[in-house]
Amino acid sequence: MQLPKTFNELITEANQLDLYMKLVQQLNKDFLFANIDLDFSEDILPESLKLLLHETIYKLIQEKFTEYLNLLYIIDVPEATIKALDGNDTLKLSEEVTFLILKREWQKVWFKNKYSAQ
């Protein structure tokens, strides 16, 4: 599996494979499991998804850091990747973490789709 390098690549691939709704469902599932009050509508536009997720991650970093770490653990974002990010600019950090979350959730959806269809 070749991971997307940008948000647009990720969304394009998800739409081509008709898995965008599954990506939204996976996000909802993991946020619920992390006990974070965020529930995306399944027909949310990709740009809105990105903005809402970014805003939520930013607020978690600023106000609820323990919940933020728990979410990263539940989603299974690699710790080394998070540690490699520059934490000086919280807005930029939250944007990068948003993409890492989307990428990891996309991996889960892609693998489930690929290996459960057989």
Side-chain angles (χ1 to χ4, degrees):
M1 168 185 203
Q2 177 87 22
L3 282 174
K5 300 205 182 330
T6 66
F7 173 75
N8 289 335
E9 278 182 34
L10 189 150
I11 296 304
T12 300
E13 189 174 343
N15 284 328
Q16 285 173 347
L17 296 172
D18 201 24
L19 293 173
Y20 177 72
M21 192 182 338
K22 295 275 188 199
L23 176 64
V24 173
Q25 290 168 347
Q26 183 66 46
L27 278 164
N28 284 338
K29 177 181 161 191
D30 285 341
F31 270 81
L32 181 65
F33 193 57
N35 204 24
I36 295 172
D37 187 26
L38 182 65
D39 188 28
F40 298 107
S41 167
E42 289 185 2
D43 61 356
I44 188 169
L45 295 172
E47 249 343 281
S48 299
L49 173 77
K50 178 182 171 186
L51 290 172
L52 190 56
L53 184 57
H54 180 207
E55 180 182 312
T56 302
I57 297 303
Y58 181 78
K59 284 181 181 173
L60 286 172
I61 291 171
Q62 294 283 84
E63 301 165 12
K64 298 179 177 180
F65 197 72
T66 305
E67 286 90 339
Y68 162 74
L69 294 176
N70 186 47
L71 177 68
L72 294 178
Y73 176 77
I74 286 169
I75 292 176
D76 193 27
V77 178
E79 186 177 342
T81 310
I82 295 293
K83 286 184 175 181
L85 299 175
D86 181 8
N88 291 327
D89 181 350
T90 309
L91 191 60
K92 188 173 184 332
L93 173 69
S94 60
E95 184 178 342
E96 292 169 345
V97 170
T98 296
F99 182 62
L100 291 175
I101 287 172
L102 285 168
K103 244 184 1 182
R104 181 64 185 117
E105 296 289 46
W106 172 241
Q107 275 183 300
K108 292 179 189 180
V109 168
W110 188 89
F111 277 112
K112 280 181 194 168
N113 181 64
K114 180 163 177 67
Y115 295 108
S116 67
Q118 295 176 355

